[in-house]
Amino acid sequence: MFFQKIKPFLYLGIFYLSISLLLRITFIFHPITTADFSILEVVKIVFTGIVNDIFVFILTCPFLALYFLFLSNSKYQKPYGYIILGSLCAFFLYILLIPNNIFKQYGGSVAEIAMIFIGLKIIVFSLMLFLPEKRVKIRNSMYFITIFLYVLLIIFNTVSEYFFYNEFGLRYNFIAVDYLIYTNEVIGNIMESYPVVPLFLAIFSLAVICTIYIYKKTKTELLTLPNIKQKIILLGSFCILVAISLFGLHFTTKLKSHNVFEEEIQANGLPKFYWAFTHNELDYFQFYPQINQQVAENVFLSQFTPPELKRTIQPEKSELKKNVVLISIESLSADFMAHYGNTQKVTPFLDSLADRSLMFTNLYATGNRTVRGLEALTLCIPPTAGESIIKRENNKNKFTTGSVFKSKDYTVKFLYGGYSYFDNMKDFYEGNGYEIVDRNNFKPDEISFANVWGVADEDMAKKAIQTMNAEAKSGKPFFNHWMTVSNHRPFTYPKGKIDIPGDAKSREGGVKYTDYSLRKFFEMAKKQKWYSNTVFVIVADHCASSAGDTELPMDKYKIPAMIFSEGFIQSQKFTQTMSQIDLMPTLFGLLNFNYQTKFLGQNVFSREFQPKAYVATYEDLGLINDKHLTIISPLKKIKQYALTQQKNNLSPEFNLYYDEKYLKSNLQNKKLIEQTISAYQSTSFWLKKNQLNR
């Protein structure tokens, strides 16, 4: 009897484990998985993965368990049936008519969803109450729908995990949480990037086929409903299994490996999604290794003169009040440029501009999201654990690049081709004194092409010229920070602009079109009176991909950056290791700005500059320094890798690739570990105490 009653769970569980195993094997052989696994490693991945999947499936079964728990014929007998129906109707009217009911207090569509659910429940209950001869058929139909929804969600989640891994080389993380929040952009991106109709038809068809099979194998269980004793036994068994699963996942989700791909593939996406949803911001002092706070600050501040958080920069030469245009380019990995060995000729303009610029050949992005790049360029501080400061509540009145320019009486603007509410950019930049120019500022005739992310970069270039011309007429110098959008999936852009079709949805096409748009921008800018008195800073926000064999693969963080200004900046190459947070302090040094600073980046041409770079994910915080990569992680973990540059035909400063050799604890450089902890601990402490505010 017990086996008979759990048959639906068994069939659904086998289906879930089978499709999860297929997905895991697909990940092992996916092109983005650059790791090579031994047979024993594959066995470990598969076994650990199956255990994770079993635990997760049990934890996703409460709704199905409740469905069986409430199956009963006695509830339709008089007077219980009428009492229940009356209660449901009263509940429906409560949601419909009471203005401040409990559901409406939650805001959003919660009340509407609750009303639809109760309304459907009333309809089904009424049919089964007043049509007892149809009760079995109605119950079978509802059972079929319930199984179908489970199967559909399993298949849909599997497909979603595949596309997420295909994009990021990871299971679900904070980005997936963002995708639920910014549904308009995300749904639009999916609609424009993939063949949605055939894909959804395939998912729906497969779900129907699998549901029919499971339904036929298990529908006989509805002929004899469990009595109260059997329900108590089933409920008790289920509660025990849930407790075991929660306890088990507590351990299996913490299994770590030296290979990131192994960790990701053996994991299950749903627990990772839940963890990301509940850990938007990680408390450094709870999760990461620490040293004495005063010691940490002394070690970190020793790189500055004077060794203090708030310092005064006093150049010997006079200040230069030049206009500044900072262009942060979406997903421009260094390896897209010919300088770094690319042979596809997708950045001809940027390559030519680099030859006439101050080019930083060994610069690393702080993270792998746009908000991380914007944070690094705007706040000039190392990344902190969890979500970017841009997306946190306490993100206003910070000491920023813009506040330095405003202190010099500059006009300060942030330009973005999309809607700047995305990723909380509008809230952050307006809260820090920037004016916003985004898609809301475009007239219909100013848009020649747009996709879900915003207007084409070429249209934004024209708007930027228009904005800068207006600013120049005011007589005040201007600082404009332009964030591009076209080099982003779905990689669509106007046809006939470059030799890669605009509907090819090719990343190389997206890169080349952005390069084309920048050429057009500079052609237009060169005709303006303000051009000769303007400095252009061009840098990527992050790389196109972050997947690699280690937590922080260095080639996935190296980005191009250059400063260009005709008649002012001499062409040269700066080859020392530097961070994205060093770029704007270096610019201020070139302009001889006299200012008080709280920036934690350095002018790379100053005497005290120490070559290094900060790189991070949401959890792992790294420091590249002295041919080592030191990483600190939650649970106070510390890893260190020795870096050896791989041989190739490029000059060393353009070589992207390093061998990262894991060092055991007794071989680790303790001084570099102290420097890593000092940097991230101090930054987190100052942010917590609002000491990095203006």
Side-chain angles (χ1 to χ4, degrees):
M1 174 65 72
F2 182 80
F3 174 77
Q4 291 294 108
K5 296 305 176 187
I6 64 171
K7 274 179 67 177
F9 295 92
L10 290 175
Y11 274 90
L12 274 175
I14 292 170
F15 173 71
Y16 178 67
L17 294 178
S18 300
I19 202 167
S20 296
L21 177 62
L22 180 62
L23 179 66
R24 194 165 278 112
I25 293 171
T26 302
F27 286 165
I28 291 174
F29 294 100
H30 194 287
I32 204 171
T33 307
T34 56
D36 294 320
F37 301 116
S38 67
I39 294 177
L40 286 177
E41 287 173 328
V42 171
V43 171
K44 174 182 175 293
I45 290 170
V46 171
F47 177 77
T48 307
I50 290 174
V51 172
N52 277 323
D53 294 340
I54 290 172
F55 290 153
V56 169
F57 176 74
I58 291 171
L59 294 175
T60 59
C61 287
F63 292 107
L64 189 60
L66 288 173
Y67 172 80
F68 282 102
L69 185 66
F70 285 99
L71 285 179
S72 169
N73 284 320
S74 60
K75 64 184 178 183
Y76 300 106
Q77 296 175 1
K78 296 179 180 180
Y80 307 116
Y82 297 99
I83 294 173
I84 294 172
L85 181 60
S87 300
L88 289 171
C89 292
F91 195 24
F92 182 85
L93 292 173
Y94 164 76
I95 301 172
L96 178 65
L97 301 177
I98 304 301
N100 295 316
N101 67 69
I102 190 172
F103 296 103
K104 289 183 179 177
Q105 290 177 17
Y106 279 94
S109 302
V110 176
E112 288 77 6
I113 293 172
M115 196 159 57
I116 291 171
F117 177 79
I118 299 299
L120 291 174
K121 184 68 178 175
I122 290 171
I123 294 171
V124 174
F125 192 89
S126 299
L127 290 173
M128 297 188 74
L129 176 64
F130 297 116
L131 299 173
E133 70 280 3
K134 301 290 185 182
R135 196 171 292 165
V136 173
K137 288 185 178 180
I138 296 171
R139 183 177 289 139
N140 284 345
S141 299
M142 296 305 300
Y143 175 65
F144 183 90
I145 292 172
T146 302
I147 296 296
F148 173 75
L149 290 176
Y150 258 90
V151 171
L152 182 65
L153 288 173
I154 289 171
I155 297 174
F156 185 81
N157 176 68
T158 303
V159 173
S160 298
E161 282 207 66
Y162 171 78
F163 282 118
F164 193 86
Y165 190 89
N166 187 62
E167 181 79 10
F168 300 104
L170 300 166
R171 295 277 192 168
Y172 293 144
N173 59 16
F174 281 103
I175 301 174
V177 176
D178 283 353
Y179 279 9
L180 277 186
I181 297 171
Y182 298 105
T183 52
N184 183 54
E185 281 81 357
V186 173
I187 292 174
N189 184 29
I190 293 170
M191 295 291 289
E192 294 179 9
S193 299
Y194 302 106
V196 174
V197 174
L199 183 63
F200 274 81
L201 284 175
I203 292 173
F204 188 85
S205 300
L206 181 60
V208 170
I209 293 170
C210 295
T211 301
I212 291 172
Y213 176 80
I214 295 173
Y215 172 76
K216 287 183 176 180
K217 292 291 184 180
T218 60
K219 68 176 182 177
T220 54
E221 310 317 311
L222 300 182
L223 296 177
T224 305
L225 299 180
N227 57 39
I228 188 67
K229 181 181 178 181
Q230 292 170 334
K231 287 181 178 180
I232 292 173
I233 294 173
L234 290 171
L235 181 62
S237 302
F238 181 73
C239 290
I240 293 171
L241 288 173
V242 167
I244 293 172
S245 299
L246 287 171
F247 184 76
L249 277 177
H250 179 72
F251 291 99
T252 58
T253 54
K254 292 179 180 178
L255 292 176
K256 298 294 181 182
S257 168
H258 296 324
N259 189 305
V260 173
F261 285 114
E262 182 177 333
E263 289 183 18
E264 293 294 327
I265 296 172
Q266 72 186 17
N268 184 288
L270 295 180
K272 290 180 72 68
F273 181 90
Y274 174 79
W275 192 94
F277 187 81
T278 55
H279 293 76
N280 182 272
E281 181 179 342
L282 289 173
D283 184 350
Y284 181 93
F285 299 94
Q286 180 180 355
F287 293 101
Y288 290 84
Q290 299 174 54
I291 58 177
N292 177 272
Q293 181 60 33
Q294 192 58 54
V295 171
E297 292 185 26
N298 290 341
V299 170
F300 184 59
L301 292 173
S302 64
Q303 64 187 299
F304 302 112
T305 304
E308 299 170 359
L309 176 58
K310 188 174 182 179
R311 310 172 303 280
T312 299
I313 308 296
Q314 294 179 308
E316 297 177 358
K317 297 181 181 180
S318 300
E319 287 187 349
L320 301 171
K321 291 289 188 71
K322 290 183 174 290
N323 307 309
V324 175
V325 178
L326 168 60
I327 306 173
S328 44
I329 303 176
E330 173 69 45
S331 304
L332 185 70
S333 304
D335 58 8
F336 284 127
M337 293 186 65
H339 283 82
Y340 295 91
N342 190 291
T343 59
Q344 297 172 296
K345 298 180 180 180
V346 291
T347 58
F349 174 70
L350 286 175
D351 281 310
S352 67
L353 192 68
D355 291 331
R356 297 177 284 143
S357 303
L358 164 57
M359 185 180 186
F360 303 96
T361 64
N362 203 19
L363 184 147
Y364 291 86
T366 59
N368 47 35
R369 294 280 329 266
T370 295
V371 284
R372 278 297 187 200
L374 295 177
E375 173 190 89
L377 296 168
T378 305
L379 301 178
C380 304
I381 63 174
T384 51
E387 187 57 270
S388 164
I389 292 166
I390 289 176
K391 302 187 70 174
R392 299 182 189 178
E393 290 185 9
N394 184 22
N395 67 357
K396 299 174 179 61
N397 301 312
K398 302 296 182 188
F399 183 81
T400 66
T401 303
S403 63
V404 173
F405 281 113
K406 287 181 81 73
S407 73
K408 304 295 179 183
D409 201 30
Y410 276 64
T411 301
V412 175
K413 286 187 172 71
F414 176 69
L415 285 63
Y416 181 66
Y419 295 110
S420 58
Y421 77 86
F422 181 74
D423 264 351
N424 211 43
M425 290 183 284
K426 180 179 176 67
D427 179 68
F428 172 75
Y429 279 107
E430 285 189 339
N432 285 285
Y434 287 67
E435 296 177 51
I436 303 289
V437 178
D438 66 2
R439 187 167 178 174
N440 288 309
N441 298 95
F442 281 77
K443 300 175 183 176
D445 60 358
E446 292 178 318
I447 302 175
S448 66
F449 183 91
N451 62 22
V452 67
W453 293 110
V455 303
D457 284 344
E458 189 179 0
D459 292 337
M460 189 67 239
K462 294 174 183 177
K463 175 63 76 172
I465 295 294
Q466 182 187 108
T467 301
M468 293 167 198
N469 285 342
E471 290 173 312
K473 290 179 181 178
S474 71
K476 295 172 63 174
F478 59 79
F479 167 61
N480 285 178
H481 183 172
W482 169 20
M483 179 70 226
T484 73
V485 300
S486 290
N487 181 29
H488 194 296
R489 193 177 298 277
F491 309 115
T492 53
Y493 44 85
K495 295 180 180 179
K497 302 293 183 176
I498 59 174
D499 56 4
I500 301 175
D503 56 359
K505 299 183 179 179
S506 152
R507 182 179 289 278
E508 288 72 25
V511 173
K512 195 165 188 176
Y513 174 71
T514 292
D515 182 83
Y516 164 87
S517 299
L518 292 175
R519 180 191 295 276
K520 292 298 181 183
F521 170 75
F522 275 89
E523 287 175 355
M524 290 185 286
K526 199 167 185 177
K527 299 175 183 177
Q528 313 307 319
K529 293 181 180 179
W530 48 261
Y531 175 79
S532 60
N533 190 43
T534 302
V535 180
F536 300 90
V537 184
I538 299 99
V539 61
D541 61 344
H542 59 85
C543 283
S545 170
S546 59
D549 294 341
T550 59
E551 296 91 337
L552 301 170
M554 290 180 58
D555 60 303
K556 303 300 185 181
Y557 285 82
K558 198 167 189 178
I559 57 174
M562 63 193 82
I563 298 178
F564 171 79
S565 181
E566 286 191 37
F568 173 52
I569 298 295
Q570 301 299 312
S571 62
Q572 61 173 303
K573 291 179 175 61
F574 184 85
T575 61
Q576 295 185 67
T577 301
M578 62 180 288
S579 173
Q580 209 171 17
I581 73 172
D582 298 322
L583 190 59
M584 295 309 287
T586 299
L587 173 72
F588 293 140
L590 294 172
L591 295 174
N592 302 319
F593 272 15
N594 185 325
Y595 66 106
Q596 284 193 326
T597 181
K598 292 184 179 179
F599 290 146
L600 304 180
Q602 289 184 290
N603 175 0
V604 299
F605 295 113
S606 64
R607 286 189 295 271
E608 66 258 25
F609 174 68
Q610 298 177 8
K612 63 188 173 303
Y614 304 99
V615 292
T617 62
Y618 290 103
E619 300 177 31
D620 301 310
L621 307 174
L623 175 66
I624 301 169
N625 194 6
D626 194 22
K627 297 183 180 180
H628 287 76
L629 169 61
T630 307
I631 301 172
I632 55 177
S633 305
L635 304 179
K636 304 184 187 303
K637 293 185 177 180
I638 300 171
K639 290 184 180 180
Q640 195 172 79
Y641 297 86
L643 304 175
T644 306
Q645 199 165 41
Q646 296 179 3
K647 293 182 179 180
N648 65 15
N649 297 326
L650 296 173
S651 301
E653 65 267 25
F654 290 114
N655 190 351
L656 294 169
Y657 302 104
Y658 286 82
D659 289 318
E660 300 180 22
K661 180 183 178 183
Y662 176 75
L663 299 175
K664 295 182 179 179
S665 179
N666 62 314
L667 298 176
Q668 293 177 352
N669 186 317
K670 305 303 180 185
K671 182 180 179 181
L672 295 180
I673 291 175
E674 183 184 57
Q675 290 178 1
T676 304
I677 295 173
S678 296
Y680 288 110
Q681 180 177 324
S682 298
T683 303
S684 299
F685 179 82
W686 292 327
L687 281 169
K688 192 173 184 178
K689 299 297 183 180
N690 291 323
Q691 293 181 22
L692 294 177
N693 286 14
R694 291 200 292 269

